[in-house]
Amino acid sequence: MSQNFSRRLTDLLIRIYPDHDHSELSEQIVQAFWPPGHHQRKQGRKPGNGLWSERDSVLITYGNSIEDQVHKPLDLLHDFLVRHLQGVVNGVHILPFFPFTSDDGFAVSDYYSVSAQLGDWPDITRIADDFHLMSDLVLNHVSSQGLWFNNYLQGKPPHDRFFFEATPEDDLQPVVRPRTTPLLRQVETSRGDRHVWCTFSHDQIDLDFRNPEVLIEMLRIIRLHIDKGVRILRLDAVAFIWKEVGTTSIHLPQTHAIVQLLRLLCDFTTETVVLLTETNVPRTENLSYFGNRNEAHAVYNFPLPPLILHAMQSGTARYLRDWQAAMPPAQLGCAYLNFTASHDGIGMRPAEGLLPPEEKARMIDTVRNLGGLVSMRALPDGREEPYELNCAFFEAMRATFDGEDQFHLARFICSQTIVMSLEGIPAFYIHSLLATPNDHEAVERRGMNRAINRHRWHYPDLLSKLADPGSDQSRVLSEMSRRLRIRAQQSAFHPNATQFTLRLDERVFGIWRQSLDRSQSIFALHNVSSDHVQINPTEVNLIAEETWMDALTGEVFGANMSEFSLAPYQCRWITNAPAV
């Protein structure tokens, strides 16, 4: 173990666990993360731009988003990936694939097993052999019906000290809540009645990281993931892991120190492991998880979904542009994960301070008119406000503030092309790539708003749709795949390539990207309106001596061009091509 590693680990443990034996804790942590047969790097990785490239993009999916009641869903997922997405995306985020009791996997009952309904570990590693695999580390809470919590109820060590307790008399008013359910759940234990902390639901009991044994157990789980081929760790709900009565219990200093500890371990492991934090909060709080290049390698770009949704529905890129112009580039060794849709809804908290209330209200009304739903969160004063919009993003593109029109597909493809163009790594929910409509039947059957965007495709039906060139599924997947393949060839789309936001007609969202070696420039232009828009080349600083072409269409622009046009919802990737 290097002296640098030991010193940094000790410093972090002093911040997290000041009253514990730091030497003993250090040894336990090393043994948990590097058990016999595993080796530590002599030097930690330095922050740099080599962890990813323009060829990287990620599919987000449940293990059973595709099923046929015959084969294991993970086998079907692997077949779909190899058959339709090889060379299109190279990363796959499989949402929690463990045994669970609720919340579609996020109430984990056994971290060491793969759900028998999906498959087994060999099915996971088979996918990891062909794609960069991301898994969920659900580290804030566990199922109330799992072994850990049952042991807690019975007073069996070590789990008798694994869960965070409070009382109704405690000062809980400042606690930031993502849900409207009561924070505390009363339970009967072998030691009498207790109240346990439940940030998300009463089936999801929060762990108590004040007990270092909780952290050490999580490190053993991380090691299992890495050994099974996982190379990207998504830290689910990480902002809530450290609680203190009388505080907001979100983003506390110990939380950041734990993320720094995980980053330190990943920097010294022989496998290349990327940490991604999931913090669905306003911008400044979200960006804090980069730390000083010593926390997450990547953070979700959470303002993107509501801002892109607004731009496409309103026909103006004003708010999206102003936000992007004020966004800092990711620090060296860090990257944004860009997306419009995920297994959750379209979060409204990240839009706080970015969209005026009346604009958010118009979005909400438009989504509701399209059959979408709205989930609420509780405020400290007892009021409620919209927390997220529940709607398939493909369906949300069906209409603008003015109603439905003939541009549904073009509008949707434009929204996804913005994600491909921005600084960072693009990620796409499987139901966006497959143009999946709202699943109202699932909402009715399962009694939860989020089910609207968690459809399970019957694989033969899906293959039939994809074989039909006229279906929405075939048209969207084909065009998205084409653009992603083009994107992968553009060095100016490296996740850390220079980005500058252009001030153009408000109907056009434009950015300039330049490759790390400055050899390629791309002017990425996206018409978010149903109008034809003319752009003067001087507005985008096209160098006269260069030959420019649209990478999406192959169209070449001459040096004397006076203007070029953007059709409704058209996107252009104008790049300096070699002279012919």
Side-chain angles (χ1 to χ4, degrees), residues 126-178:
R126 192 176 303 115
I127 294 173
D129 288 341
D130 293 328
F131 297 86
H132 301 314
L133 180 61
M134 183 194 306
S135 72
D136 272 287
L137 185 65
V138 185
L139 73 172
N140 178 70
H141 49 262
V142 302
S143 168
S144 69
Q145 302 169 60
L147 176 66
W148 291 9
F149 194 64
N150 281 327
N151 284 347
Y152 162 82
L153 295 176
Q154 297 173 46
K156 294 182 180 179
H159 303 121
D160 57 333
R161 298 186 301 113
F162 262 42
F163 296 93
F164 197 97
E165 298 177 349
T167 72
E169 291 72 37
D170 288 329
D171 180 14
L172 304 178
Q173 193 271 340
V175 175
V176 171
R177 297 300 318 285

Side-chain angles (χ1 to χ4, degrees), residues 342-580:
S342 73
H343 63 291
D344 290 338
I346 300 164
M348 296 302 289
R349 281 212 69 201
E352 291 175 9
L354 302 177
L355 288 173
E358 61 273 16
E359 295 298 314
K360 287 194 282 189
R362 295 179 76 187
M363 286 170 54
I364 292 170
D365 288 344
T366 302
V367 167
R368 279 182 167 145
N369 289 338
L370 291 167
L373 305 169
V374 180
S375 294
M376 310 298 285
R377 75 182 185 101
L379 299 176
D381 62 7
R383 293 183 298 114
E384 296 182 358
E385 72 172 9
Y387 177 71
E388 66 182 18
L389 307 181
N390 301 111
C391 184
F393 208 87
F394 180 72
E395 286 290 277
M397 293 293 97
R398 187 174 295 280
T400 69
F401 290 166
D402 295 326
E404 297 188 29
D405 56 27
Q406 71 271 36
F407 297 117
H408 180 199
L409 259 65
R411 186 159 46 240
F412 176 74
I413 294 294
C414 178
S415 74
Q416 304 307 295
T417 306
I418 292 174
V419 172
M420 299 181 201
S421 305
L422 287 168
E423 175 197 343
I425 301 166
F428 304 93
Y429 190 35
I430 190 170
H431 293 306
S432 291
L433 285 179
L434 296 178
T436 307
N438 286 334
D439 192 338
H440 293 285
E441 185 275 332
V443 175
E444 180 95 10
R445 173 170 42 85
R446 304 182 61 200
M448 58 183 290
N449 285 358
R450 285 179 169 178
I452 199 171
N453 193 29
R454 298 179 181 179
H455 181 71
R456 295 175 184 172
W457 277 100
H458 184 58
Y459 200 26
D461 292 345
L462 175 60
L463 292 178
S464 176
K465 293 277 190 183
L466 293 177
D468 175 7
S471 72
D472 288 344
Q473 287 65 42
S474 177
R475 294 166 68 188
V476 166
L477 182 60
S478 174
E479 183 59 21
M480 292 277 286
S481 298
R482 185 183 78 86
R483 295 190 183 201
L484 281 168
R485 287 192 176 98
I486 293 171
R487 180 189 184 278
Q489 304 303 313
Q490 316 303 318
S491 58
F493 282 146
H494 185 285
N496 300 114
T498 298
Q499 177 170 291
F500 182 79
T501 307
L502 303 174
R503 293 280 174 177
L504 303 171
D505 186 304
E506 287 195 350
R507 294 168 294 179
V508 177
F509 178 64
I511 51 174
W512 170 61
R513 304 294 309 278
Q514 186 181 57
S515 60
L516 296 173
D517 64 3
R518 299 190 178 186
S519 64
Q520 184 188 31
S521 286
I522 292 180
F523 293 92
L525 309 177
H526 317 83
N527 181 2
V528 303
S529 77
S530 58
D531 302 328
H532 287 266
V533 181
Q534 301 299 121
I535 299 290
N536 189 311
T538 60
E539 294 183 80
V540 292
N541 299 318
L542 296 186
I543 300 171
E545 289 75 18
E546 297 269 14
T547 298
W548 297 88
M549 66 170 288
D550 184 347
L552 289 174
T553 65
E555 184 179 355
V556 177
F557 301 110
N560 299 320
M561 176 182 57
S562 59
E563 63 180 15
F564 54 85
S565 64
L566 289 169
Y569 303 105
Q570 183 179 3
C571 304
R572 289 190 182 273
W573 288 343
I574 301 176
T575 180
N576 49 330
V580 178

